[in-house]
């Protein structure tokens, strides 16, 4: 038997923070690729501390639903899961290349394949592009359009920016969009000045965040000038300084993210059969009907409480 | 009652290596098979005779099939929980059985089969679980489970919102009756008005997992004497980042914290963790049904706040209050702490926590900076 654990932040204050975790877990449950699929949280239940004991499977694949390698993926999650012999060096990562490490969980005697976070997986590049397609309702979006990947950024963790830049570079290499730029909330170059960085009239802005919350639904739309007050909402696209801004909301809510979770587990040796194809078809059909498109303005604290 | 042919075949297949389960016992001996089903014994049977004897022991056969073939999972928490649901003997229950002997004594197969026709009720926190046969008139041993709020035990099913997908439990458990988010799943604030009916055993366990995550696993560990408790100090010392400070919380403040957070009125879990091994907290751990094996994330987050607040020096203030106003402060704090602010009637000015009384006190005693109190120790 094999189990998948999706390890996410969650929130004590905002019930929406865990929505993407549940949504992607359910998508993967539907594929039947794992005997057990379990959500686990730092701020909700089941807590990281207790999740492994709720599983019957001996082989457990843990994928952090986080954007960057850093404090949560390197310290908190392995510590709380009681992964014996964990050391960040086991990942041999340069900040965006963590793949997996196989360890024992002390309290339960199970084999844990501890994977790198979804945010730095190569397949995340496709999710960002899919997000641009969903938001613009244009599967061929790219020509004449600029794309900005937006991250939190922080002086405390250099890996935070690396993940954003990594995917921006990969998208730029594909020559699909006229311009691609990594921008940040808390470091230079800042998303506040988004129009300064683009010549294209149309700019798609994709925040590389897991859940919609305070940052993606309040801070960033106001900082970019999409709206005076987030409570009033904003249009997609919105006119700012003569540009049209297609703001997509958190990339983590994109259906295709379930595919990245599956790929992380498969890279670590999970047998997932044709689950990826099933998830990709599902995500494509949702994107086509536009059932999920357009962020809903939404109040409440983000995942960071 | 019927015994399906494949049940018999499955049992006969296993007969040569021996079967011993829930009062059913088959052994292969030198003069054929021997069969025990409860009180009845048949020695020296050939295969045909064994088949006939099993057909006359249909309850034991279908019970064997349900547990060994449908449920499976020998030694798992899932299986133990489902056995508990129908008051079946638990493999690990030798010690724990004493506690349950009076009201919840395990039932042997014939008694359990009688009871499963009517449904066997169990409570798990605020959840009420009924185990029953799928087919009550002609039971084939297949069980299903109904699940609802204990407050709805007497409700008509037609008055409840009926679900069959365990994941829907997540939605039900997200908000309380006032629409407030419930970050603590074991808070005694689960809303009523819903029912899951006809769940399989696996689906029941999944639904319970969404209502009360990890409670089955920890209950199972506790029964086996294998609950691993992390006491306050080791949990606190493990923290890093912004929670690094919580191990500085004074011991007496940990007492106050346990009294504030970890009591039956706030959480259905029973606190098993202490200050540290061999140093018990005076605060009562409560009578909750689920063992709490270490401080939860809400307690950790609150502890951080209190660790910061407790690092402040105490000071002496002088302020003018009548005796009734002093008493009113007590009533205000008590009303908030007990969560009864919403129950105080608009015009009940006899209650110190009445909103008009509070507004009057504020109008009289607050200046521009708030409460007019003068530090006297400067």
């Amino acid at each position: 038997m094999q189990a998948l654990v999706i390890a996410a932040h969650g929130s004590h204050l905002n019930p929406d923070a865990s929505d993407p975790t549940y949504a992607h877990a359910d998508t993967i449950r539907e594929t039947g690729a794992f005997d057990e699929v379990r959500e686990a949280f730092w701020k909700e239940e089941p807590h990281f501390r207790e999740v492994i004991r709720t599983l019957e499977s001996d082989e457990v694949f843990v994928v952090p639903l986080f954007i960057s390698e850093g404090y949560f993926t390197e310290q908190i999650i392995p510590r709380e899961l009681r992964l014996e012999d964990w050391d960040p060096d086991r990942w041999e990562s340069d900040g965006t290349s963590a793949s997996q490490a196989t360890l024992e969980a002390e309290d339960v005697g199970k084999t844990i394949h501890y994977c790198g976070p979804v945010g730095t997986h190569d397949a995340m590049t496709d999710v960002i592009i899919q997000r641009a397609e969903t938001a613009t309702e244009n599967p061929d979006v790219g020509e004449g359009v600029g794309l900005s990947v937006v991250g939190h950024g922080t002086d405390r963790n250099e890996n935070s920016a690396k993940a954003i830049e990594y995917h921006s570079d990969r998208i730029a290499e594909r020559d699909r969009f006229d311009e691609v730029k990594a921008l940040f909330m808390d470091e230079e170059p800042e998303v506040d000045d988004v129009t300064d960085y683009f010549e294209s009239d149309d700019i798609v802005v994709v925040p590389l965040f897991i859940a919609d919350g305070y940052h993606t639904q309040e801070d960033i739309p106001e900082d970019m000038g999409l709206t005076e007050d987030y409570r009033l909402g904003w249009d997609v696209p919105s006119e700012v300084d003569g540009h049209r801004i297609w703001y997509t909301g958190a990339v983590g809510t994109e259906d295709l993210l379930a595919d990245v979770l599956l790929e992380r587990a498969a890279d670590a040796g999970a047998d997932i059969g044709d689950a990826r194809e099933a998830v990709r078809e599902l995500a494509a059909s949702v994107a086509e009907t536009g059932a999920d498109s357009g962020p809903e303005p939404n109040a409440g604290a983000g995942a960071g409480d | 009652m019927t015994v399906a042919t494949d049940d018999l075949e499955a049992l006969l297949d296993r007969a040569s290596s021996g079967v011993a389960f829930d009062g059913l016992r088959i052994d292969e001996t030198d003069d054929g098979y021997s069969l025990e089903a409860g009180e009845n014994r048949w020695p020296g049977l050939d295969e045909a005779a064994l088949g006939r004897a099993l057909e006359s022991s249909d309850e034991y056969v279908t019970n064997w099939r349900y547990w060994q073939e449908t449920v499976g999972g020998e030694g798992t928490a899932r299986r133990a929980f489902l056995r508990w649901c129908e008051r079946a003997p638990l493999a690990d229950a030798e010690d724990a059985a004493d506690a349950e002997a009076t009201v919840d004594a395990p039932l042997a197969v014939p008694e359990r089969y009688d009871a499963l026709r009517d449904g066997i009720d169990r409570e798990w926190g605020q959840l009420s679980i009924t185990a029953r046969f799928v087919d009550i008139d002609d039971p084939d041993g297949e069980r299903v489970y109904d699940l609802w709020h204990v407050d709805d035990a007497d409700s008509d099913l037609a008055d409840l919102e009926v679900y069959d997908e365990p994941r829907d439990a997540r939605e039900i458990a997200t908000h309380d009756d006032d629409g407030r988010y419930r970050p603590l799943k074991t808070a005694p604030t689960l809303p009523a008005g819903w029912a899951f009916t006809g769940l399989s055993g696996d689906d029941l366990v999944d639904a319970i997992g969404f209502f009360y995550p990890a409670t089955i696993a920890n209950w199972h560990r506790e029964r086996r004497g294998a609950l691993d408790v992390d006491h306050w100090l080791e949990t606190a010392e493990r923290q890093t980042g912004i929670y690094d400070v919580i191990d500085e919380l004074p011991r007496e403040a940990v007492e106050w914290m346990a009294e504030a957070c970890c009591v039956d009125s706030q959480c259905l879990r029973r606190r098993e963790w202490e200050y540290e091994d061999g140093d018990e907290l005076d605060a009562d751990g409560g009578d909750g049904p689920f063992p709490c094996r270490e401080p939860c994330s809400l307690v950790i987050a609150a502890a951080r706040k209190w660790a910061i607040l407790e690092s402040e020096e105490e000071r002496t203030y002088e302020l003018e209050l009548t005796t009734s106003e002093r008493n009113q402060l007590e009533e205000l704090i008590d009303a908030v702490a007990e969560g009864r602010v919403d129950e105080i009637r608009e015009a009940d000015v006899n209650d110190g926590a009445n909103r008009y009384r509070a507004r009057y006190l504020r109008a009289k005693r607050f200046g521009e900076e708030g409460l007019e109190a003068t530090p006297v120790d400067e």
Side-chain angles (χ1 to χ4, degrees), chain A residues 10-16 18-19 21-23 25-27 29-30 37-39 42-47 49-51 53-56 71 75-76 79-80 82 107-108 156 304-305, chain B residues 73 76-79 165 167 170-171 174-175 181 183-186 206 209-210 213-215 217-218 221 226-228 230 238-243 269 293-294 296-301:
Chain A
S11 166
H12 289 156
L13 302 176
N14 174 16
D16 304 331
S18 48
D19 285 353
T21 316
Y22 289 137
D26 287 349
T27 302
R29 282 188 181 100
E30 298 290 343
V37 177
R38 194 81 77 235
E39 305 88 341
W42 172 233
K43 292 288 187 177
E44 296 180 37
E45 298 162 276
H47 192 267
R49 200 75 184 152
E50 306 206 301
V51 66
R53 66 185 50 197
T54 69
L55 301 166
E56 290 183 17
Y71 181 53
Q75 288 187 52
I76 296 264
R79 180 188 80 208
E80 297 295 299
R82 284 169 272 203
D107 57 327
V108 285
R156 288 173 299 176
D305 63 279
Chain B
T76 62
R78 168 176 61 90
R79 178 186 176 92
E165 168 55 63
R167 291 174 223 163
R170 286 191 312 231
E171 288 294 313
T174 300
H175 297 96
Y181 175 43
L184 181 65
K185 290 286 202 299
T186 45
D206 282 349
F210 287 126
T215 54
N218 283 324
R221 281 177 167 257
L227 186 70
D228 46 343
D230 280 7
R238 188 178 81 225
Q239 306 300 319
T240 52
I242 62 170
Y243 300 107
R269 274 179 288 197
R293 45 165 302 281
E294 70 176 49
C296 68
S297 73
L298 276 170
V299 161
I300 298 295

Side-chain angles (χ1 to χ4, degrees), chain A residues 142-143 168-180:
Chain A
E143 199 179 335
S168 298
D169 292 346
R170 281 169 52 85
I171 295 169
E173 281 165 19
R174 295 186 189 187
D175 284 330
R176 171 169 175 164
F177 293 87
D178 283 5
E179 307 163 88
V180 181

Side-chain angles (χ1 to χ4, degrees), chain B residues 182-198:
Chain B
R182 299 172 68 243
L184 181 65
K185 290 286 202 299
T186 45
T189 55
L190 187 68
W194 49 268
F196 291 82
T197 57

Side-chain angles (χ1 to χ4, degrees), chain B residues 56-374:
Chain B
S56 68
S57 311
D58 48 6
E59 292 184 340
Y60 287 90
V61 174
T62 60
N63 181 68
W64 173 86
R65 188 195 52 78
Y66 180 70
W67 287 109
Q68 304 302 81
E69 306 277 287
T70 307
V71 175
E74 197 78 51
T76 62
R78 168 176 61 90
R79 178 186 176 92
F81 177 76
L82 293 173
R83 303 264 303 161
W84 174 85
C85 283
E86 65 174 59
R87 295 174 57 190
L90 294 169
D92 47 46
E94 285 81 9
D95 300 329
D98 295 340
E100 291 188 299
T102 45
V103 280
D104 281 343
L107 303 177
V109 171
E111 291 81 42
R112 230 187 304 146
Y113 264 51
D114 278 346
L116 281 166
R117 287 187 173 86
D118 297 331
I120 297 174
D121 298 327
R122 288 293 217 172
E123 284 188 10
W124 191 255
Q126 288 187 286
L127 301 176
S128 178
I129 301 158
T130 302
R132 60 178 169 87
F133 285 128
V134 179
D135 186 340
I136 290 161
D137 297 325
D138 187 17
D140 60 359
E142 207 57 32
R143 278 82 151 161
V144 282
Y145 305 86
D146 307 321
L147 179 65
W148 48 70
H149 196 290
V150 286
D151 292 351
D152 286 326
D154 299 322
S155 297
D156 195 327
L157 200 58
D159 296 330
L160 304 176
E161 187 94 18
V162 177
Y163 299 90
D164 57 12
E165 168 55 63
R167 291 174 223 163
D168 291 330
R170 286 191 312 231
E171 288 294 313
I172 296 168
T174 300
H175 297 96
D176 66 15
D177 277 329
D178 296 324
R180 286 175 304 200
Y181 175 43
R182 299 172 68 243
L184 181 65
K185 290 286 202 299
T186 45
T189 55
L190 187 68
W194 49 268
F196 291 82
T197 57
L199 295 174
S200 70
D202 284 354
D203 280 354
L204 174 73
V205 169
D206 282 349
I208 303 271
F210 287 126
F211 278 119
Y212 295 135
T215 54
I216 292 176
N218 283 324
W219 163 86
H220 187 229
R221 281 177 167 257
E222 185 177 48
R223 289 193 75 98
R224 291 182 303 166
L227 186 70
D228 46 343
V229 174
D230 280 7
H231 297 291
W232 166 258
L233 214 50
E234 57 193 299
T235 305
E237 286 173 347
R238 188 178 81 225
Q239 306 300 319
T240 52
I242 62 170
Y243 300 107
D244 190 32
V245 297
I246 68 170
D247 59 353
E248 292 163 24
L249 194 65
R251 193 191 179 291
E252 61 178 347
V254 177
E255 288 279 1
W256 299 326
M257 183 176 74
E259 189 182 324
C261 303
C262 307
V263 292
D264 292 345
S265 67
Q266 307 301 311
C267 182
L268 296 168
R269 274 179 288 197
R270 165 175 28 89
R271 182 177 54 74
E272 292 294 329
W273 52 269
E274 302 293 349
Y275 186 70
E276 63 183 319
D277 197 20
D279 182 359
E280 293 194 5
L281 295 170
D282 288 335
D284 185 43
D287 299 317
F290 316 126
C292 176
R293 45 165 302 281
E294 70 176 49
C296 68
S297 73
L298 276 170
V299 161
I300 298 295
R304 173 173 182 258
K305 188 74 200 173
W306 287 315
I308 294 165
L309 297 180
E310 289 295 341
S311 68
E312 286 180 35
E313 291 288 315
E314 289 193 345
R315 304 180 65 180
T316 305
Y317 291 89
E318 190 172 84
L319 72 165
E320 298 287 324
L321 291 176
T322 67
T323 302
S324 292
E325 285 167 350
R326 195 207 73 91
N327 293 344
Q328 195 189 341
L329 288 181
E330 286 180 6
E331 288 183 67
L332 280 163
I333 290 169
D334 197 54
V336 171
E338 294 303 322
R340 63 176 193 90
V341 174
D342 291 342
E343 297 161 21
I344 299 167
R345 287 170 294 178
E346 187 88 0
D348 185 5
V349 291
N350 289 322
D351 193 317
N354 170 270
R355 190 168 80 248
Y356 294 117
R357 285 278 303 277
R359 290 177 64 83
Y360 183 92
L361 186 68
R362 183 175 67 174
K364 178 178 174 183
R365 296 297 184 190
F366 280 25
E368 286 194 351
E369 304 285 304
L371 186 64
E372 286 180 336
T374 316

